[in-house]
């Protein structure tokens, strides 16, 4: 438990007590934890793995709201506002989670000032991101948003760590579309334009950025 940021500043006795309340849950890759609209029955902390928080339209288009990893937590919203789950939660890798039952959630918070602080900080950060995204959607075109996201996600190629010239993004076009909240077709079209101009190269599950400076100029 000490390894989990949410619990790290708890006293040993408190952690000991908490450990008796936490269940462990294993999820296979693709396993669904809950769906938007479900009743919120628990709070989750990721010990190991990758969980996607997303919402889907009736036609099956999907928007990824967040990718959560080791140490991250989720499922607090339905417990805090007593509304149904606000999004789907699905494991993208085999994952191991701690589960805290809804009845133990508030008693846990009341005893742990630092946990409250962490959860408030996470909620604030999410609202900030949501506001940024809303601003982006209001003010930027799809090409500019794509360029901005590509620059944000770009990682220097292993072989060029010290003086990177080219960058890689390990993500499929479908995942990228889902992150930007636009259709895959429009992402394909925009990537083709960038490709024809020599700014990027695309393959099945990754994108290579050949000219990041020119890409940066397209983010406005
Ligand atoms: P809850 O509504 O109970 O179930 C879905 C969970 O996804 C939600 O609680 C949050 O924990 C999490 N979640 C929802 N929206 C976001 C977001 N934008 N960023 C990160 N996590 C989110």
């Amino acid at each position: 438990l000490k390894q989990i940021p949410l619990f790290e500043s708890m006293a040993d006795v408190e952690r000991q007590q908490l450990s008796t309340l936490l269940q462990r849950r294993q999820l296979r890759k693709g396993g669904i934890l809950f769906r938007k609209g479900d009743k919120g029955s628990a709070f989750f902390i990721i010990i190991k793995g990758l969980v996607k928080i997303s919402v889907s339209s009736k036609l099956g288009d999907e928007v990824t709201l967040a990718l959560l990893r080791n140490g991250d937590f989720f499922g607090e919203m339905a417990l805090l506002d007593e509304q149904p789950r606000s999004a789907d939660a699905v494991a993208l890798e085999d994952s191991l989670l701690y589960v805290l039952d809804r009845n133990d959630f508030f008693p846990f918070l009341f005893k742990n000032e630092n946990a409250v602080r962490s959860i408030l900080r996470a909620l604030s950060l999410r609202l900030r991101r949501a506001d940024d995204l809303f601003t982006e959607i209001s003010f930027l075109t799809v090409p500019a948003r794509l360029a901005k996201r590509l620059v944000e996600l770009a990682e220097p190629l292993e072989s060029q760590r010290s003086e990177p010239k080219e960058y890689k993004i390990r993500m499929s076009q479908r995942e990228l579309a889902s992150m930007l909240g636009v259709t895959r077709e429009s992402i394909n079209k925009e990537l083709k334009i960038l490709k024809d101009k020599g700014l990027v190269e695309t393959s099945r599950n990754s994108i290579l950025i050949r000219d990041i400076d020119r890409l940066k100029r397209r983010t406005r």
Side-chain angles (χ1 to χ4, degrees):
L1 280 186
K2 242 185 187 159
Q3 319 289 342
I4 307 263
L6 190 59
F7 306 135
E8 73 190 352
S9 56
M10 288 171 77
D12 285 341
V13 261
E14 284 173 5
R15 228 183 340 250
Q16 187 68 41
Q17 285 170 356
L18 179 68
S19 68
T20 62
L21 301 175
L22 292 172
Q23 308 274 351
R24 276 167 182 256
R25 170 134 182 220
Q26 230 161 350
L27 268 186
R28 287 253 165 244
K29 178 177 174 175
I32 298 166
L33 212 51
F34 54 74
R35 290 279 187 206
K36 177 177 167 138
D38 288 354
K39 183 173 154 48
S41 56
F43 173 65
F44 301 90
I45 305 114
I46 304 174
I47 303 171
K48 204 171 145 305
L50 183 64
V51 172
K52 178 176 71 177
I53 304 292
S54 63
V55 285
S56 297
S57 73
K58 286 203 181 84
L59 293 175
D61 288 322
E62 186 188 84
V63 182
T64 302
L65 299 176
L67 293 174
L68 304 178
R69 299 180 169 76
N70 302 6
D72 291 338
F73 51 81
F74 60 98
E76 75 296 333
M77 285 168 61
L79 304 188
L80 291 172
D81 65 11
E82 296 182 29
Q83 300 284 316
R85 292 295 188 199
S86 62
D88 302 342
V90 176
L92 291 188
E93 290 171 3
D94 289 351
S95 299
L96 183 62
L97 311 168
Y98 280 128
V99 185
L100 184 66
D101 187 86
R102 62 176 299 135
N103 296 319
D104 298 321
F105 182 62
F106 278 105
F108 159 67
L109 290 186
F110 290 145
K111 274 205 230 144
N112 294 285
E113 198 183 308
N114 278 305
V116 175
R117 232 183 266 270
S118 301
I119 291 175
L120 288 178
R121 193 183 306 121
L123 285 174
S124 173
L125 200 65
R126 273 181 215 162
L127 182 59
R128 190 184 288 275
R129 285 213 199 104
D131 287 349
D132 285 348
L133 188 63
F134 186 67
T135 311
E136 244 181 47
I137 290 172
S138 307
F139 296 144
L140 294 183
T141 60
V142 170
R145 281 169 57 207
L146 172 65
K148 190 161 178 278
R149 194 50 60 98
L150 291 176
V151 170
E152 282 166 9
L153 293 169
E155 287 175 37
L157 287 189
E158 284 293 340
S159 54
Q160 305 178 350
R161 282 263 177 243
S162 53
E163 257 182 74
K165 290 196 180 68
E166 293 170 318
Y167 297 77
K168 195 167 186 143
I169 297 163
R170 262 173 269 271
M171 191 175 270
S172 70
Q173 296 178 23
R174 196 169 68 84
E175 287 169 314
L176 195 60
S178 169
M179 268 185 110
L180 285 167
V182 293
T183 61
R184 198 157 74 105
E185 292 73 43
S186 66
I187 289 297
N188 283 350
K189 201 178 100 203
E190 290 307 328
L191 281 173
K192 183 157 186 320
I193 294 170
L194 295 178
K195 206 165 138 185
D196 292 345
K197 290 184 186 294
L199 274 71
V200 303
E201 270 174 40
T202 56
S203 56
R204 235 173 85 77
N205 276 313
S206 69
I207 296 163
L208 181 72
I209 299 181
R210 288 225 170 274
D211 192 335
I212 201 156
D213 292 326
R214 274 172 67 206
L215 197 60
K216 280 182 185 162
R217 270 181 250 135
R218 297 176 72 93
T219 61
R220 273 160 277 150

